[in-house]
Amino acid sequence: MHVTELVITVILFALVTGVGFWAARWRRPPHLHSLDEWSLAGRTFGPWIGWFMLGGDLYTAYTFVAVPALLYGTGALGFYAIPYTAIEYPLVFLILIRLWSVCRTHGYVTPADYVRGRFGSPTLALAIALTGVVATMPYIALNLIGIQATLQVIGLNGHWPLIAAFIVLAAFTYRSGLRAPALIAFVKDVLVYLMIIVAIAYIPAHVGGWGHIFTVFNAHFTSVKPHTGLLLTSSNQAQYATLAFGSAAAIFLYPHAVTGVLSTRSRDVVKRSIAWLPVYSIVLGLIALLGAVALAAGIKPLASGGTANTNTIIPGLFESVFPHWFAGIAFATIIIGALVPSAVMSIAAANLFTRNIYKEYLRPHASDREQAEVSKVTSLVVKAGAVLFILGLQPQFSINLQLIGGVIILQTLPAVFVGLYTRWPHRAGLLAGWAAGLATGVAMLYVTGNPAAKQAHWGGSAFALSHLGFHTAVSMYTGFIAVVVNLLVTAIVTVAAKALRVPDGVDETAAADYYTDEADLPTQETEVIAA
Amino acid sequence: MSADLSPPVPRRSDHSPWNYLLLIPVVLPLLTFLYNSATPRLFGIPFFYWFQMLLAPIAVLASVSTFYLARRGTRRPGSAGREG
């Protein structure tokens, strides 16, 4: 047990808990009894808060521990998160302002709300909502893995610290809604930047310099894993590029990312936040390199449940090189880093249930207040579910599900992103494309094994094209192939449905709705009070 | 900042020639053959790694320039100069 680290972690955690509860009074709303107030903080965030909020939301604790762990475990291929997070913002820069405008005009809270309004199909909206929930749940669970890996290094091995942390998180999210993670994001990000600047300034020199680090890194992969290494090989370059691109296209389809975007005040705020968000990717690049540093420093992963948990290498590296008090700050940072996205994800998943299942099918006339109450309670259920995931199942199962999550959330791209630009697809086409994309995606993941981990199925997101009968060693990102299938089926079924005159849904949005801005909206009561 | 008093444009659009700047950070990372090399090294870091770390600042530069350049001349009254 590392007492100093534990004490510092507990103090910082207590500070953040206070911030989380106090957040209910921040930018004081007249009340929190509507989804707009509880789950979108009144849609009033400006560029600074928007930037911190989205950064805190998208760069999770899992990112901080898993990205370097990936470099440590797989070499060059594990660096894909860097091009991925450089592509994602420029890619969605123009798309998200249209999504923001149409959602603001019609009061949509979830991506599925938008799909329902655009394509006039509650069934399609249900499909989009369920996909979002299924993709989000294991994501929350993975954040717990980030916390667990840190607690393991501190020396706390039981389940109770994890459960206690999540009960606290659930309580302040219930009370303060999106305001809690938004305010905590400031604390989190200051700590993250502090931790990384110190880590990068201090550790590499301590370990023998970058030249030495990469010599060890290269030697390790040449001797241990000849198929991967310091650079990409001829067979995994296509996989690397499609994985980076596919992940970049997928991230803003996740409900929690949409929640972050919709909490902002204007199109300008969306653009400015998105334009500056790659600053976080600079930090992520530095964090990723720590994976190579850990290898050179001889950090070995701790075992959990009989298997080596590579996610412990970053906490392990900090423990071995930092003084105790600073290791404590770093550990607290990782744990707090898990709280922000977990809170937003649980809010987003709860909203999907409330808007696209409860209100759609159970209580069509539910008031704003009732919807907010349902979402608040559902957010507790979602978090409890994520904890049960971790306690009841092998961590590997959550990782597999997360892998599937990335592939399936990408299958909502035709309805959500393509739908923002054209109303051409027929609702039947989108539904068929979604189903085809899901089926092929999951089937491809199933047949992919991982010989190194002795897994026959769910072994990774690199689909070997040899499965299709091609004589090649080339692999591609499963999600990318699945979304291509999805788009093709959507197009074919759309043509067929239109030829057969199958009735299409009614589009409740107008062309001008996609350009609505702050100035077009009536001044809100909340803004007056916030000022 | 002085408010632009020209009347609102009747038909709105997000089109701007500056938007094409966004293609640079989207396409460049996909061209793996450009950077899949160990040399030249920078502070001992192989090219593959330090080049890709440059992609994030390139993305910031491209999207921030797009934002400010595309906004010039298209600003409407009411959306000017509000900070926070």
Side-chain angles (χ1 to χ4, degrees):
Chain A
M1 177 80 77
H2 300 282
V3 178
T4 315
E5 286 86 332
L6 180 64
V7 169
I8 290 176
T9 304
V10 169
I11 291 173
L12 284 172
F13 187 84
L15 167 78
V16 158
T17 304
V19 171
F21 280 107
W22 182 80
R25 297 158 183 270
W26 180 46
R27 300 165 71 89
R28 183 172 230 146
H31 59 77
L32 278 170
H33 307 302
S34 76
L35 284 184
D36 268 14
E37 282 301 338
W38 181 75
S39 70
L40 297 177
R43 307 192 192 232
T44 57
F45 286 159
W48 276 101
I49 305 171
W51 184 78
F52 273 110
M53 160 89 236
L54 278 165
D57 186 16
L58 299 173
Y59 294 83
T60 66
Y62 183 65
T63 319
F64 296 145
V65 298
V67 169
L70 219 52
L71 193 68
Y72 178 102
T74 62
L77 200 52
F79 209 59
Y80 87 92
I82 308 313
Y84 149 31
T85 55
I87 297 171
E88 64 176 295
Y89 306 106
L91 185 67
V92 298
F93 185 84
L94 295 167
I95 300 175
L96 291 179
I97 47 177
R98 292 178 70 85
L99 182 65
W100 184 91
S101 290
V102 71
C103 290
R104 193 71 181 80
T105 311
H106 292 273
Y108 300 143
V109 178
T110 69
D113 281 350
Y114 161 65
V115 168
R116 185 192 189 285
R118 175 64 149 168
F119 295 100
S121 169
T123 315
L124 184 61
L126 179 67
I128 303 296
L130 289 178
T131 313
V133 173
V134 171
T136 303
M137 288 292 290
Y139 215 153
I140 304 175
L142 283 192
N143 274 294
L144 287 168
I145 292 186
I147 299 182
Q148 212 174 25
T150 310
L151 292 173
Q152 200 179 345
V153 172
I154 294 177
L156 294 172
N157 281 310
H159 288 312
W160 63 267
L162 188 67
I163 296 173
F166 245 52
I167 288 175
V168 173
L169 168 71
F172 67 65
T173 310
Y174 180 89
R175 180 176 144 87
S176 308
L178 193 70
R179 285 176 167 79
L183 204 50
I184 294 173
F186 282 97
V187 183
K188 174 203 155 179
D189 291 336
V190 168
L191 286 171
V192 165
Y193 285 111
L194 175 75
M195 176 180 96
I196 292 312
I197 291 166
V198 172
I200 285 296
Y202 180 71
I203 304 180
H206 186 82
V207 173
W210 288 112
H212 170 72
I213 289 165
F214 277 99
T215 306
V216 175
F217 187 73
N218 190 25
H220 169 81
F221 284 107
T222 322
S223 64
V224 183
K225 295 177 176 171
H227 295 298
T228 133
L230 186 70
L231 299 174
L232 298 173
T233 62
S234 57
S235 62
N236 65 18
Q237 291 198 30
Q239 179 198 344
Y240 191 81
T242 51
L243 182 57
F245 187 77
S247 308
I251 186 72
F252 276 95
L253 291 165
Y254 274 101
H256 67 279
V258 174
T259 299
V261 172
L262 296 188
S263 69
T264 57
R265 189 180 63 206
S266 69
R267 297 183 121 217
D268 259 18
V269 174
V270 176
K271 285 196 226 173
R272 271 198 244 184
S273 310
I274 295 290
W276 287 102
L277 270 166
V279 169
Y280 284 87
S281 307
I282 301 173
V283 176
L284 185 64
L286 296 171
I287 295 176
L289 286 186
L290 291 178
V293 175
L295 198 65
I299 304 296
K300 296 274 177 277
L302 297 180
S304 76
T307 54
N309 180 2
T310 51
N311 288 324
T312 59
I313 58 147
I314 287 304
L317 178 67
F318 290 167
E319 179 58 42
S320 82
V321 297
F322 281 147
H324 294 306
W325 65 271
F326 196 78
I329 293 180
F331 294 162
T333 305
I334 296 175
I335 293 173
I336 294 166
L339 299 181
V340 175
S342 301
V344 188
M345 286 172 193
S346 67
I347 290 171
N351 282 350
L352 286 170
F353 171 78
T354 306
R355 299 282 297 183
N356 309 108
I357 297 174
Y358 183 82
K359 184 171 187 295
E360 186 71 58
Y361 295 101
L362 304 174
R363 297 260 300 171
H365 301 295
S367 65
D368 281 357
R369 191 187 189 99
E370 181 177 342
Q371 291 182 46
E373 284 307 314
V374 171
S375 263
K376 286 168 85 171
V377 174
T378 311
S379 81
L380 301 178
V381 176
V382 168
K383 285 193 207 68
V387 173
L388 289 177
F389 251 84
I390 292 297
L391 302 189
L393 303 165
Q394 288 286 327
Q396 188 57 45
F397 191 74
S398 298
I399 295 170
N400 293 346
L401 273 177
Q402 156 67 4
L403 191 69
I404 300 171
V407 171
I408 71 169
I409 199 69
L410 201 49
Q411 307 316 316
T412 64
L413 182 140
V416 182
F417 283 175
V418 176
L420 288 169
Y421 288 91
T422 169
R423 183 57 183 74
W424 181 77
H426 192 280
R427 57 182 176 182
L430 287 167
L431 205 55
W434 169 81
L438 280 191
T440 47
V442 173
M444 283 189 284
L445 289 170
Y446 181 77
V447 299
T448 303
N450 180 351
K454 297 190 181 70
Q455 279 179 268
H457 305 294
W458 318 116
S461 60
F463 183 70
L465 297 184
S466 57
H467 283 294
L468 301 174
F470 295 110
H471 288 282
T472 171
V474 172
S475 294
M476 282 179 103
Y477 175 48
T478 306
F480 185 80
I481 303 173
V483 81
V484 170
V485 171
N486 182 338
L487 288 165
L488 285 175
V489 172
T490 301
I492 293 166
V493 176
T494 294
V495 170
K498 291 192 174 185
L500 296 171
R501 299 188 191 286
V502 177
D504 201 350
V506 177
D507 181 3
E508 71 178 24
T509 69
D513 298 348
Y514 294 84
Y515 298 99
T516 302
D517 207 348
E518 192 187 9
D520 307 319
L521 300 158
T523 312
Q524 285 209 328
E525 204 185 355
T526 47
E527 284 188 309
V528 178
I529 294 165
Chain B
M1 224 177 273
S2 64
D4 181 354
L5 295 176
S6 60
V9 193
R11 189 181 163 81
R12 294 180 186 174
S13 166
D14 291 325
H15 287 290
S16 160
W18 297 110
N19 290 346
Y20 292 102
L21 277 178
L22 296 171
L23 281 175
I24 299 169
V26 172
V27 174
L28 197 57
L30 302 177
L31 310 175
T32 51
F33 58 87
L34 285 183
Y35 55 80
N36 194 29
S37 151
T39 53
R41 289 171 188 262
L42 182 72
F43 308 120
I45 303 174
F47 184 67
F48 179 80
Y49 297 91
W50 70 257
F51 174 80
Q52 290 189 82
M53 290 176 69
L54 274 184
L55 293 173
I58 291 172
V60 174
L61 211 63
S63 36
V64 171
S65 334
T66 306
F67 173 68
Y68 286 104
L69 293 171
R71 196 163 70 153
R72 282 194 318 197
T74 59
R75 194 178 292 168
R76 289 187 306 276
S79 63
R82 303 227 342 224
E83 301 290 331

